[in-house]
């Protein structure tokens, strides 16, 4: 393989700051920078100048088309390509691109989910440039990151509310920083998402209709070897996977994505990629692109990249860890314990804000990661439970307890800790023990939210996290701005928050049954096990009030989003149900029948040859398989009946409850019988590749 010059390659397909500085006039550059950093309005002449240079750069780098690139509520990204060509009088063309085309697009919005937001006669939507995320080139097309709204101005995408939530936390955090005299022009949240995925050989994959239609296997008996030897995690990466990773890194680097860490994960065929963190909206765009490019590069290497949360039952699923922090443009990480008493107090207040936010809005965080796919992971002893709680680690817990109880903290001078006066003990980062069972863990200078599913857009949970923390900060600023004795009131405030929100702090084993009991029965934490349980809470008054007060969502947007997310849930499961029926009727039952025929024929033949043969194997297998085909028939009929009843339900809340209570359980019954039959049937007759063949398909 030829050697690559990574610094040269990095960002070569991105119209980044370096390119802008080089190509734009000083005035235009300064003006654009102001828009990017301070959200200032963009003048039209500036937009024209930027568009011209962006186009020239794109053409030099092989682009012929441009597209507004956006993130509708389907979960994937959308693009519609237009070429730069404009006809000239002499029958030729020139390449044109105006400021207007850069700033605004008007895709037909009628085929994107709107949750009844848009009356059918108003199919128009528009996309608006997000200058805070760099434009890039993909497949000879200049991609311009944009927000996507209906003509009435309601958001139809994930980026718009994300940007609004970032403004909300910026607004409130700046009020707090002002009280501490900390200099900052703006405050932003940063995210580093760790992405898990599976790789399966394309040929094996293509023989599984369930994987093709639904992204996960709907049937499959466990292979003799799974992940029990723990020999895959951090193990030696197979040559074919190494080649894939090298290729993937290069593609991502070209797009300015900071791909950094890669390793094998727990399950066979499972891997992880982590980038270096960046500003939340850029991290979101990058993660969407990363998932898309993973699939594309895998295909180039004869493999299929599975991003589903639970491609294989009984085998570890795939998640995404959302590492999140808040920092100022002056380089202060507000979740990093400082050196001076003042910095410490500021850190503790931001820490308190997160603790309160997670407690007050547990349901919003839970529902932000709720999908049909992720429901298979949360609470299944491989991912954090559906109950949200925070892990702080021993040292930080001891410090907070000392403040709460007015007791001395042993690690420091032996006096009762007073904020703003005493230094916090310098606790070392590495002692933040890795409690893998906690959904929301403090890891030294950031929080790691671990409940996300691998295919989730990280926009959803960061919208909720930013907004909820903005709300805590708003409450604190309201109190402290009026204070006459800042230090005393600050101390009292932090103490009160720690006391009031004690229930959300939990350092123990989140996988245990005891925790579920304690969390729900003693602490009163919510345990929203499925999407159907979680999603309706988006419309709880307290949640709507908060999200609307911070201008993150409008009332209409919230109703539409709740509907769309539930629609995604029921549609996903419905397709799975239909796929199961199809596979059972067309393949599984006929295959078992074929094998039964052979067994019966063999038995007959053997008995003709000798009257001494017992045919124990043939007869017992035949008897059980025959019973199983009867069970399978009953179960598939029951599922067909459920699928038919499902069609009759109009109300989305009702149909999502129906999916949870009727459809998924019927699917489980059917699967159980088919999987047992797989263990009794000859591999030659079995119609689809087994789990073993899928999980060990890449060598
Ligand atoms: P760990 O191994 O403890 O999970 P890493 O240092 O490997 O931690 O980081 C995991 C992810 O967290 C990476 O994507 C990293 O860039 C990101 N990260 C590190 N610091 C921050 C921060 N201050 N804010 C947000 N993300 C961060
Ligand atoms: Mg991590």
């Amino acid at each position: 393989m030829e050697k690559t010059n990574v610094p040269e390659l990095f960002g070569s397909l991105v119209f980044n700051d370096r390119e802008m500085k080089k190509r734009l006039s000083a005035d235009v550059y300064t003006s654009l920078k102001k828009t990017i950093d301070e959200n200032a309005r963009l003048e039209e002449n500036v937009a024209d100048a930027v568009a011209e240079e962006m186009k020239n750069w794109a053409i030099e780098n092989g682009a012929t088309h441009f597209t507004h690139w956006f993130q509708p509520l389907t979960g994937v990204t959308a693009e519609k390509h237009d070429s730069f060509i404009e006809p000239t009088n002499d029958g030729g063309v020139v390449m044109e691109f105006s400021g207007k085309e850069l700033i605004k697009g008007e895709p037909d919005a009628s085929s994107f989910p709107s949750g009844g937001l848009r009356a059918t006669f108003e199919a128009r939507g528009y996309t608006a440039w997000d200058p805070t995320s760099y434009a890039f080139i993909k497949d000879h097309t200049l991609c311009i990151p944009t927000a996507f709204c209906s003509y009435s101005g309601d958001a139809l995408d994930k980026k718009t509310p994300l940007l609004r939530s970032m403004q909300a936390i910026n607004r409130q955090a700046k009020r707090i920083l002002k009280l501490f005299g900390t200099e900052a022009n703006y405050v932003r949240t940063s995210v580093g998402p760790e992405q898990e995925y599976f790789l399966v050989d394309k040929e094996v994959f293509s023989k599984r209709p369930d994987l093709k239609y639904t992204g996960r296997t709907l049937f499959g008996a466990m292979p003799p070897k799974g992940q029990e030897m723990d020999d895959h995690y951090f193990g030696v990466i197979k040559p074919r996977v190494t080649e894939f990773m090298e290729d993937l890194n290069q593609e991502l680097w070209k797009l300015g994505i900071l791909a950094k860490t890669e390793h094998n994960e727990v399950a066979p065929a499972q891997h992880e990629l982590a980038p270096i963190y960046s500003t939340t909206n850029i991290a979101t765009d990058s993660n969407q692109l990363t998932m898309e490019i993973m699939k594309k590069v895998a295909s180039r290497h004869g493999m299929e990249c599975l991003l589903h949360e639970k491609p294989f039952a009984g085998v570890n699923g795939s998640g995404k860890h959302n590492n999140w922090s808040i920092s100022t443009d002056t380089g202060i990480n507000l979740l990093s314990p400082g050196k001076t008493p003042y910095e410490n107090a500021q850190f503790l207040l931001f820490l308190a804000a997160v603790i309160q936010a997670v407690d007050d809005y547990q349901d919003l965080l839970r529902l932000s990661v709720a999908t049909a796919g992720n429901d298979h992971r949360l609470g299944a002893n491989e991912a954090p439970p559906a109950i949200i709680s925070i892990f702080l680690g021993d040292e930080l817990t001891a410090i907070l307890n000392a403040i709460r109880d007015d007791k001395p903290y042993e690690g420091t001078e032996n006096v009762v800790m007073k904020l703003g006066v005493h230094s916090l003990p310098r606790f070392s980062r590495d002692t933040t023990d890795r409690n893998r069972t906690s959904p929301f863990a403090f890891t030294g200078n950031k929080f790691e939210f671990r409940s996300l599913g691998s295919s989730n857009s990280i926009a959803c949970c960061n919208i909720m996290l930013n907004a909820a923390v903005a709300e805590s900060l708003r409450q604190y600023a309201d109190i402290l701005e009026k204070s006459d004795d800042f230090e005393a009131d600050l101390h009292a405030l932090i103490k009160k928050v720690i006391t009031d929100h004690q229930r959300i702090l939990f350092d123990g084993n989140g996988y245990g049954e005891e925790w579920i009991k304690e969390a729900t029965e003693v602490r009163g934490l919510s345990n929203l096990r499925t999407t159907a349980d979680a999603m309706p809470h988006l419309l709880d008054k307290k949640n709507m009030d908060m999200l609307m007060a911070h201008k993150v969502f409008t009332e209409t947007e919230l109703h539409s989003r709740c509907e769309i997310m539930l629609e995604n849930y029921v549609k996903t499961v419905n397709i799975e149900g239909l796929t199961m029926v199809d596979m059972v009727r067309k393949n599984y039952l006929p295959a078992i029948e074929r094998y039964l025929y052979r067994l019966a024929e063999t038995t007959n033949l053997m008995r003709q040859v000798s009257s001494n043969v017992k045919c124990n194997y043939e007869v017992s297998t035949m008897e059980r398989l025959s019973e199983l085909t009867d069970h399978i028939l009953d179960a598939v009929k029951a599922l067909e009946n459920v699928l038919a009843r499902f069609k009759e339900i109009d109300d989305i809340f009702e149909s999502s409850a129906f999916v949870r209570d009727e459809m998924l359980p019927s699917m489980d019954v059917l699967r159980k019988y088919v999987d047992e039959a797989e263990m009794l049937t000859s591999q030659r007759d079995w119609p689809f590749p087994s789990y073993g063949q899928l999980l060990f398909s890449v060598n």
Side-chain angles (χ1 to χ4, degrees), residues 105-285:
E106 298 194 13
D108 181 355
S110 57
S111 298
F112 293 106
S114 73
L117 222 171
R118 198 187 35 236
T120 36
F121 58 84
E122 181 55 290
R124 286 186 308 167
Y126 68 90
T127 48
W129 180 33
D130 166 20
T132 61
S133 182
Y134 299 135
F136 56 91
I137 296 172
K138 183 167 68 75
D139 301 329
H140 305 288
T141 300
L142 170 67
C143 298
I144 299 148
T146 54
F148 179 43
C149 299
S150 76
Y151 236 81
S152 49
D154 293 306
L156 292 174
D157 69 348
K158 298 187 175 168
K159 183 185 275 265
T160 307
L162 179 65
L163 291 172
R164 292 177 188 156
S165 74
M166 290 175 71
Q167 280 171 24
I169 199 169
N170 174 48
R171 243 183 335 259
Q172 303 305 332
K174 271 163 65 178
R175 290 175 67 193
I176 299 287
L177 293 182
K178 202 163 158 205
L179 294 168
F180 281 91
T182 305
E183 291 216 14
N185 297 311
Y186 54 84
V187 169
R188 286 210 185 123
T189 55
S190 306
V191 170
E194 301 164 64
Q195 175 76 48
E196 293 180 342
Y197 60 97
F198 279 85
L199 288 175
V200 174
D201 183 82
K202 204 191 258 192
E203 210 171 301
V204 186
F205 169 92
S206 69
K207 294 188 180 133
R208 293 282 314 211
D210 45 1
L211 276 181
K212 273 199 287 189
Y213 297 143
T214 73
R216 73 177 180 108
T217 53
L218 300 168
F219 300 98
M222 282 307 290
K225 179 179 190 306
Q227 64 205 42
E228 42 294 275
M229 304 290 288
D230 292 322
D231 52 354
H232 196 255
Y233 190 61
F234 281 19
V236 177
I237 302 175
K238 290 174 180 154
R240 196 164 157 203
V241 177
T242 304
E243 279 171 30
F244 158 83
M245 285 177 172
E246 280 175 7
D247 203 358
L248 175 64
N249 282 337
Q250 301 218 354
E251 294 297 328
L252 295 177
W253 289 337
K254 281 189 221 164
L255 289 168
I257 296 171
L258 296 155
K260 171 90 175 163
T261 310
E262 54 202 20
H263 58 79
N264 285 352
E265 259 300 328
V266 176
Q270 193 182 30
H271 311 277
E272 179 181 300
L273 179 136
I276 296 171
Y277 68 98
S278 49
T279 309
T280 307
N281 68 318
I282 293 175
T284 305
D285 288 356

Side-chain angles (χ1 to χ4, degrees), residues 194 321 323 436 448:
E194 301 164 64
H321 290 176
N323 294 274
R436 285 282 155 200
E448 185 169 344

Side-chain angles (χ1 to χ4, degrees), residues 352-362 365 465 468-470 472 476:
V354 178
I355 293 172
Q356 181 182 339
V358 174
D359 189 18
D360 286 347
Y361 300 100
Q362 325 160 19
L365 287 176
L465 196 48
V469 174
S472 312
Y476 304 167

Side-chain angles (χ1 to χ4, degrees), residues 387-671:
I387 302 162
I388 305 287
S389 65
I390 300 179
F391 168 88
L392 290 177
D394 293 345
E395 284 187 280
L396 201 48
T397 301
I399 292 164
L400 294 191
N401 288 347
I403 296 171
R404 183 193 61 194
D405 303 335
D406 290 322
K407 291 241 174 67
Y409 173 69
E410 296 160 7
T412 173
E413 315 148 58
N414 214 11
V415 287
V416 175
M417 286 225 354
K418 193 148 181 328
L419 285 170
V421 179
H422 298 117
S423 289
L424 278 188
R426 195 82 63 74
F427 51 93
S428 51
R429 267 178 207 176
D430 287 339
T431 60
T432 55
D433 154 44
R434 312 201 153 226
N435 183 333
R436 285 282 155 200
T437 68
S438 175
F440 204 94
F442 184 70
T443 51
N445 61 353
K446 61 185 190 288
F447 276 97
E448 185 169 344
F449 185 32
R450 302 195 179 118
S451 305
L452 288 78
S454 49
S455 68
N456 284 169
S457 160
I458 61 168
C460 306
C461 77
N462 286 298
I463 293 168
M464 298 309 176
L465 196 48
N466 292 342
V469 174
E471 171 59 18
S472 312
L473 295 173
R474 179 199 65 79
Q475 293 178 16
Y476 304 167
D478 283 356
I479 295 168
L480 296 173
E481 279 169 358
K482 287 196 220 95
S483 159
D484 307 322
D485 185 346
F486 182 69
E487 266 162 34
D489 289 345
L490 176 67
H491 187 95
L493 176 61
I494 292 178
K495 187 174 157 173
K496 180 167 167 31
V497 174
I498 299 167
T499 312
D500 290 353
H501 297 282
Q502 199 64 47
R503 67 171 187 169
I504 199 76
L505 303 176
F506 177 63
D507 283 4
N509 176 16
Y511 289 177
E513 271 305 314
E514 317 80 64
W515 167 234
I516 309 223
K517 229 170 125 65
E518 182 189 329
T520 53
E521 290 170 20
V522 183
R523 300 192 185 207
L525 297 175
S526 65
N527 183 15
L528 302 167
R529 292 187 41 252
T530 69
T531 305
D533 297 306
M535 206 53 78
H537 288 283
L538 185 59
L539 303 182
D540 287 358
K541 186 171 179 322
K542 96 172 157 62
N543 294 336
M544 289 184 79
D545 284 351
M546 184 278 281
L547 291 165
M548 284 155 59
H550 288 279
K551 300 196 165 29
V552 175
F553 287 110
T554 64
E555 186 173 351
T556 346
E557 286 168 354
L558 284 167
H559 282 284
S560 96
R561 246 150 246 250
C562 182
E563 193 174 309
I564 293 169
M565 298 316 287
L566 285 174
E567 255 170 29
N568 285 347
Y569 171 74
V570 300
K571 280 185 189 160
T572 303
V573 181
N574 185 47
I575 293 171
E576 291 176 349
L578 292 169
T579 305
M580 287 183 95
V581 170
D582 202 66
M583 290 170 78
V584 167
R585 291 259 183 215
K586 292 191 187 140
N587 304 96
Y588 285 124
L589 283 174
I592 302 168
E593 195 198 24
R594 218 161 36 234
Y595 186 52
L596 279 171
Y597 180 85
R598 279 187 27 224
L599 287 172
E601 205 173 35
T602 310
T603 314
N604 265 344
L605 284 172
M606 284 164 75
R607 284 186 173 154
Q608 278 171 31
V609 175
S610 157
S611 54
N612 290 333
V613 291
K614 295 207 191 82
C615 292
N616 283 346
Y617 162 67
E618 289 77 6
V619 173
S620 65
T621 309
M622 218 160 50
E623 282 173 356
R624 182 59 189 155
L625 271 179
S626 169
E627 269 168 17
L628 284 171
T629 52
D630 292 343
H631 289 314
I632 292 171
L633 182 68
D634 289 345
V636 79
K637 278 189 188 158
L639 179 56
E640 282 164 340
N641 181 270
V642 165
L643 289 164
R645 279 160 60 210
F646 169 75
K647 276 208 278 196
E648 304 300 313
I649 309 173
D650 288 327
D651 179 76
I652 189 64
F653 296 101
E654 230 176 276
S655 60
S656 58
F658 183 81
V659 160
R660 175 196 60 203
D661 300 334
E662 304 278 340
M663 201 180 285
L664 285 163
S666 313
M667 288 161 58
D668 284 345
V669 172
L670 178 57
R671 176 180 184 146

